[in-house]
Amino acid sequence: MIAAKNVTLQYPDGTVALKNINLSVKPGEVIYITGPSGSGKTSLLKLLMAVEFPTAGTLEIMGRSYSRGQAGPIRQLRRMLGPVFQDFKLIKGRTALENIMLGMRFLGIPAAEMKKNAAEALAKVGLANKANTPVENLSWGECQRISIARALARKPALILADEPTGNLDRENALNILELLVGSKDEQTAVLITTHATHLIPENQNRIIRLKEGVLEEAGA
Amino acid sequence: MKQLRYNFGYFLREAGVIMRMNLLSHLTSFFSMALIFLLLAMVLAGWWVGNHAIAAIENEAEISAYYAEDMPGNAVLRLAEEIQNIAGVKEVLPVSAEEAYKRMEEILGKEARVLTYFDDNPFSPFLEIRIDLAAMEQVLQAVQQTDGIEYVRDNREVLERLRQLAGAVRLLGYLIITAVGVSTLVIISHLIRTGIENNREQINTLLLLGAPDSFIAFPFLLTGLFLSVGGGMLAAVLAGFALRYLFLRIEGPLPFLPLPPLGSLVLKLAVFVILLSALLGLAGSFSGLQTAKHKS
C-alpha cells in the first residue's frame, strides 16, 4: 500500500523535514507515528496525501508514485484516502450530516447511498443525534468525531489521521483512537500521528518514532 | 453527468449559501445588472420598432398624385390608365375626396373629432400610386411630367429620416450591447473571484478530499448564472411594463406610426435579454473562475 525508499523532503526554504525515510505499510495495518512537535509527522502525512512530494528517494502509494502537476492521479489518490485533519477542516454553516456527505459527493455514489453511509458513520461515532446540528455548534471532541465519520463514510483504503487526539482529555482521546481503529474496514490501513505516546493502546500493530525527520521503528 | 445528477440539489444549495454569505454585495450586483439589461432592452426595443416602421413604410411605398379637382371622372380614369403604363408602377387607384376623408377618420380613430371642425371636406381627390421602391426616382419624374397632374407627394423624406433614426439607434444598440457585455462580465467575474476568496478554506478542504475542479466550480458558476439571468428577467419584466406605457402614450398622438404588436415585441425582447444574460453570466463566471485559479 505504501512503499517509501530513502525518502527525503526538503522545503524550498531549505528546511529538511524528513531524511531517508524507509517505510512499508500493508493493507489493514494500524501504525502510530509518534514524535515531538516539529519532528516531521505532519510532513510525512503531507507526502502521503500528495500535498508535498519527495525531493529525494521514491515513494509509492497504492502502487504508483506521484509528482507535482499530476492533478488527475493526485485526485484519484485522495479519493482513496480518509483524512482526519488536526483542525478538522469541517465546512462551517453546514450540518454534521452535510459535512460527512460532502466527502462523498464526488465519488460517484448515488444520493440515497451517500446519505445512508453518512448516517451509519455518524452512528459509529455516536453522534446520530447531532446529524442536523451545524458544525459550529458542536464541541471540539464532537467535531473531531464528525471528522472521523467523514473519513470512515468514504470507505477509504487508507486513513491518515493527523494528531486526532490533540487538545482532548484522556478519556475522549482514547475514545477517538478506539473509533479510528475499531470502526475501520478490515483492509483499511490506518496511520495516526500523535505526540501523546501515553495514549497509545498496548499491543497495537506498529509504533514508529520520528525525531528531527529521521524515522525509527519503535516496535509493536 | 452522473456527478451533476447526484449533486444538483447540493449545487443549488451551495449557490444559495454563497449568495447569502455576501448578501448585500450580491443584491447590489443583481440590481445593477437588472438596470444595465433594462437599458439594453429599451434600446433594442427602439431599434426594432424603428426597423418595423421602415419595413412597413417601404412595403407600402406609394406616391399620391393630385390633379385638378374639377377634372371629369372619365378624364381621371384615362389619367390613371396612362400612369399605370409607366414602368415601376404596380397599381393606380383613384381616391375621391370623400374616400380620403374616410381614410383619415380611420387613421385618427378617437382623435377623428378634429375633422368636424372643418366646414367642408378639407381633402382633395388624388391618385394613389403603388410603386416599386427601387424605381421611385424614375416613376416620380414620369408622373410629374404627365399632363393633368398638378402635384405629386412622396414619402421619401419620411423614409430617409426614419432610416437615419434607425441607423443611429442601431449604432447606439451596438455600443450599449458592448457596454452591457463588458459590464456584466466584469461584475460577474469580480463576484465569482470574491466568492472563491471567501470560500478558499472550503475549497482547499475539498481539494484535499479529492474533489475535481468542476465539482468545486459548479456552485460558483450557478451563482453567476443566477445573478445574471435574474437581472435579465427583472429587466425583461420592467421593459415589458415600460413598453406598454410608451405604446399607450405613442398610439394616441401618433396614430399613423406603424408600431409592431406589443405582445410579440415584448416576448422577442424578453427571450433575447434572458438568453444574452445567461450567456454573459456563464462567460463572466468562467472568466472569474479562470482568474481565481491562476491566482491560487
Side-chain angles (χ1 to χ4, degrees), chain B:
Chain B
M1 275 316 282
K2 204 160 76 176
Q3 187 175 287
L4 183 66
R5 200 171 69 240
Y6 292 158
N7 291 309
F8 197 70
Y10 161 78
F11 290 139
L12 287 178
R13 281 197 305 279
E14 279 301 298
V17 170
I18 291 167
M19 285 192 263
R20 274 201 306 276
M21 274 174 65
N22 213 340
L23 190 61
L24 192 64
S25 165
H26 283 99
L27 275 178
T28 314
S29 305
F30 170 76
F31 286 115
S32 307
M33 273 185 288
L35 284 174
I36 290 171
F37 283 123
L38 177 63
L39 183 65
L40 170 75
M42 296 314 289
V43 172
L44 278 178
W47 179 356
W48 289 343
V49 167
N51 282 346
H52 177 85
I54 290 169
I57 291 170
E58 279 180 347
N59 281 336
E60 291 168 12
E62 61 185 30
I63 57 175
S64 305
Y66 292 85
Y67 49 85
E69 287 193 30
D70 55 356
M71 189 182 278
N74 286 346
V76 172
L77 288 176
R78 274 199 305 277
L79 187 60
E81 269 176 37
E82 193 181 336
I83 291 173
Q84 181 74 65
N85 291 329
I86 298 172
V89 171
K90 289 179 181 171
E91 191 185 9
V92 180
L93 187 72
V95 178
S96 66
E98 292 73 31
E99 175 66 18
Y101 188 93
K102 226 182 272 176
R103 284 184 180 186
M104 188 50 77
E105 269 186 327
E106 279 171 21
I107 290 172
L108 292 177
K110 282 186 220 161
E111 306 298 323
R113 63 177 183 277
V114 296
L115 296 174
T116 59
Y117 297 129
F118 295 96
D119 293 334
D120 300 315
N121 183 353
F123 300 102
S124 305
F126 63 95
L127 292 174
E128 187 178 86
I129 308 166
R130 288 192 55 230
I131 60 165
D132 180 1
L133 192 68
M136 185 181 252
E137 282 301 325
Q138 300 90 298
V139 174
L140 266 175
Q141 227 171 5
V143 173
Q144 272 163 349
Q145 286 165 4
T146 306
D147 283 341
I149 295 297
E150 291 182 339
Y151 165 67
V152 179
R153 199 181 71 194
D154 66 78
N155 56 1
R156 264 186 313 181
E157 205 177 319
V158 177
L159 267 176
E160 206 45 52
R161 282 193 183 168
L162 272 173
R163 276 207 191 99
Q164 283 171 356
L165 185 68
V169 173
R170 187 177 297 141
L171 181 68
L172 189 66
Y174 287 136
L175 287 175
I176 289 188
I177 287 177
T178 311
V180 166
V182 172
S183 313
T184 310
L185 287 179
V186 169
I187 292 174
I188 294 285
S189 163
H190 174 71
L191 265 181
I192 300 299
R193 270 197 308 274
T194 312
I196 288 172
E197 285 311 315
N198 290 340
N199 290 278
R200 183 59 71 190
E201 209 181 314
Q202 175 181 344
I203 291 169
N204 286 341
T205 302
L206 285 169
L207 287 172
L208 286 173
L209 291 170
D213 290 349
S214 57
F215 179 88
I216 295 169
F218 208 77
F220 293 99
L221 205 69
L222 278 182
T223 307
L225 195 62
F226 286 162
L227 283 174
S228 179
V229 173
M233 285 168 87
L234 180 61
V237 171
L238 292 176
F241 283 120
L243 284 176
R244 194 179 301 275
Y245 174 76
L246 285 174
F247 268 47
L248 281 174
R249 301 282 300 209
I250 290 172
E251 275 170 343
L254 301 170
F256 45 83
L257 193 71
L259 293 172
L262 179 63
S264 63
L265 176 71
V266 171
L267 183 69
K268 198 167 120 182
L269 202 62
V271 169
F272 182 84
V273 169
I274 292 169
L275 284 180
L276 183 73
S277 64
L279 201 70
L280 290 172
L282 278 177
S285 302
F286 273 121
S287 151
L289 286 167
Q290 280 306 109
T291 48
K293 203 173 167 184
H294 287 150
K295 207 177 152 191
S296 63

